[in-house]
Amino acid sequence: MISRESADELLAGAEGAYLIRESQRQPGMHTLALRFGLQTLNYRLFYDGKHFVGEKRFESVHDLVTDALITLHIETKAAEYIAKMTTNPIYEHLGYTSLLKDEAAHRLSRGRAEPRRVTFQRDERISSPLVRRSALKDATEKQCSYDKVHNFKVHTFRGPHWCEYCANFMWGLIAQGVRCSDCGLNVHKQCSKLVPSDCQPDLRRIKKVFSCDLTTLVKAHNTTRPMVVDMCIREIELRGMKSEGLYRVSGFSEHIEDVRLAFDRDGDKADISANAYADINIIAGALKLYLRDLPIPVITFDLYSKFIQAAKIPIADARLEAVHEGLLQLPPAHYETLRYLMAHLKRVTMFEKDNFMNAENLGIVFGPTLMQPPEQNALTTLNDMRQQKLVVQLMIEHEDVLF
């Protein structure tokens, strides 16, 4: 145990030298003393199986010091340049294509293609003046591109690597930058905050269909809705609309799991026909499972409370208007999926005489599937069940108005 002054004396004149000393103020804690720039720098040193000072973790203190010296040298000698390197990024002029290998340029240039646009038509055949005002509040066609933020994660690059945003070198021994796990874009951590929401997921990076973010999936497959929703609804409308208890009656869980595996393995080539699954409840169960397992529900976490509060409004027209306002705030892929699903469920109610499923019954089934509280609290879910059911019921009954 030595003092900070003693450490300074020991390291004096030995640029790049370091030692580890036990803290005098906090016994049991250790400090890394590192000589750099004619001064001794002191850092609190931690260990959790790996050595670390900040967010990077190293197998050895030697690697930690090596990385620190690289970073200190670059940030000291090139501080002015680093401060300016994001002010005129190549990304603004060339998109993803930069000075990188042709394969990366080809992959990323797809993300700069004209975005797929979806037009949402507003139905003008509305009786109630208040509801008409709600549905036509934004009378222009709602055209939305499926923007998607990048899913950046800290990454260690092997060998020299350059940022695809600013075209500058990414320095350090490990964790030199971040990589988007959906499209593979590589950038500095500081540059990642400036990259626009234009991620174009690469199918090779999407490992599964179920439990995949909804927007990520539709952008990767270049579709307006998830294939699971389209294919399951198509199969149900082909042979299951008169099935008693449709969506309420459960299919065999083992067979539903088989359908999930088929979609994850084969994508839109998955066989869900009557030859493979004669019981339509298996297909209905697979659709519900897909919607329930989305990492972000169709009605997103951040809009959950808005819909719950809308359901509590006592005046019918005001309640519908509040639900409509919430729908307009959904991400485009979520909105289109919900619109398509509600149109389907409206058609299901037309066969109520045979399937005994009206809008209220379907609301009970799909309420907790489409809406989940952000805190995942069982008590909150229980308390909100009535409002969840009512929201879905209203969307089915007034599908032609709300969408």
Side-chain angles (χ1 to χ4, degrees):
M1 182 182 293
I2 61 175
S3 66
R4 180 175 292 208
E5 292 74 18
S6 298
D8 190 33
E9 291 177 7
L10 288 170
L11 297 174
E15 191 75 358
Y18 69 93
L19 59 80
I20 298 172
R21 62 183 179 83
E22 187 174 359
S23 173
Q24 290 181 316
R25 296 178 181 177
Q26 294 179 288
M29 301 297 293
H30 293 82
T31 298
L32 170 67
L34 174 64
R35 191 72 180 180
F36 180 82
L38 303 180
Q39 60 179 323
T40 302
L41 307 174
N42 292 276
Y43 302 95
R44 180 66 55 81
L45 185 63
F46 299 93
Y47 182 77
D48 63 355
K50 291 188 176 182
H51 304 276
F52 65 99
V53 168
E55 59 184 19
K56 295 184 180 181
R57 283 162 166 73
F58 300 84
E59 296 290 346
S60 69
V61 174
H62 178 77
D63 287 346
L64 186 156
V65 171
T66 302
D67 184 82
L69 289 172
I70 294 171
T71 302
L72 286 168
H73 180 80
I74 292 177
E75 291 182 352
T76 301
K77 303 298 182 183
E80 185 177 350
Y81 180 79
I82 292 171
K84 294 179 178 179
M85 71 183 190
T86 59
T87 59
N88 188 32
I90 61 163
Y91 194 97
E92 296 295 325
H93 308 292
L94 303 177
Y96 283 161
T97 58
S98 57
L99 306 175
L100 306 177
K101 56 188 179 182
D102 292 341
E103 181 182 350
H106 173 72
R107 162 179 60 79
L108 293 169
S109 63
R110 290 190 296 119
R112 307 302 283 176
E114 186 65 23
R116 186 182 183 93
R117 295 189 176 275
V118 181
T119 302
F120 302 124
Q121 298 286 346
R122 304 292 178 198
D123 196 330
E124 297 190 20
R125 297 169 296 173
I126 305 168
S127 56
S128 166
L130 279 178
V131 177
R132 170 186 275 280
R133 177 169 61 84
S134 171
L136 301 179
K137 183 171 292 183
D138 182 9
T140 59
E141 288 183 333
K142 183 179 180 182
Q143 291 189 321
C144 301
S145 61
Y146 283 10
D147 291 341
K148 179 188 178 305
V149 298
H150 291 271
N151 185 19
F152 286 120
K153 295 181 180 178
V154 175
H155 188 77
T156 295
F157 299 95
R158 296 179 181 275
H161 225 85
W162 284 263
C163 174
E164 294 177 56
Y165 181 79
C166 69
N168 288 288
F169 179 65
M170 292 199 282
W171 60 86
L173 197 62
I174 68 168
Q176 303 95 330
V178 294
R179 168 177 287 175
C180 176
S181 60
D182 294 333
C183 73
L185 181 68
N186 304 312
V187 296
H188 290 111
K189 185 177 180 182
Q190 61 267 39
C191 290
S192 69
K193 301 172 184 176
L194 304 174
V195 176
S197 300
D198 57 0
C199 176
Q200 179 61 41
D202 188 333
L203 269 176
R204 292 171 296 180
R205 296 178 178 274
I206 308 300
K207 304 300 182 184
K208 55 187 177 180
V209 172
F210 276 61
S211 301
C212 177
D213 173 69
L214 198 156
T215 302
T216 299
L217 188 69
V218 298
K219 281 195 67 100
H221 288 272
N222 196 30
T223 58
T224 56
R225 295 176 300 274
M227 68 184 78
V228 180
V229 175
D230 278 7
M231 292 175 63
C232 287
I233 286 178
R234 189 182 309 123
E235 194 66 26
I236 289 167
E237 295 198 351
L238 179 67
R239 58 187 175 94
M241 298 295 270
K242 294 184 178 181
S243 177
E244 183 175 339
L246 181 64
Y247 288 117
R248 189 188 70 243
V249 176
S250 299
F252 287 113
S253 58
E254 294 86 354
H255 293 166
I256 292 174
E257 180 66 15
D258 287 343
V259 174
R260 182 186 72 80
L261 293 173
F263 274 114
D264 283 343
R265 182 183 63 248
D266 304 325
D268 57 4
K269 301 294 191 296
D271 182 7
I272 59 171
S273 65
N275 292 332
Y277 303 99
D279 183 4
I280 197 63
N281 294 309
I282 295 170
I283 308 305
L287 175 59
K288 290 189 295 180
L289 177 64
Y290 170 76
L291 297 170
R292 188 167 59 247
D293 280 358
L294 286 171
I296 300 176
V298 176
I299 293 178
T300 57
F301 290 127
D302 57 337
L303 291 174
Y304 177 84
S305 60
K306 186 176 184 69
F307 279 91
I308 293 297
Q309 293 306 313
K312 294 179 179 179
I313 298 174
I315 303 173
D317 286 342
R319 184 167 59 233
L320 274 182
E321 187 163 346
V323 170
H324 181 258
E325 288 298 321
L327 291 172
L328 293 179
Q329 295 179 43
L330 286 172
H334 289 245
Y335 178 96
E336 173 60 16
T337 299
L338 191 60
R339 182 199 67 77
Y340 190 75
L341 178 63
M342 291 303 112
H344 162 66
L345 295 180
K346 183 70 172 283
R347 292 190 290 272
V348 170
T349 64
M350 296 177 182
F351 293 85
E352 180 187 353
K353 184 178 67 174
D354 300 296
N355 59 35
F356 301 104
M357 295 300 289
N358 57 27
E360 182 177 6
N361 292 337
L362 290 169
I364 294 171
V365 172
F366 279 94
T369 299
L370 299 174
M371 303 177 63
Q372 299 169 27
E375 64 274 13
Q376 297 294 315
N377 185 293
L379 184 59
T380 301
T381 303
L382 188 63
N383 291 335
D384 293 345
M385 283 184 67
R386 182 176 178 276
Q387 285 75 34
Q388 291 174 346
K389 182 266 293 182
L390 183 56
V391 167
V392 176
Q393 180 181 342
L394 288 171
M395 289 192 294
I396 296 172
E397 292 174 342
H398 302 279
E399 170 268 333
D400 57 334
V401 170
L402 293 173
F403 296 93

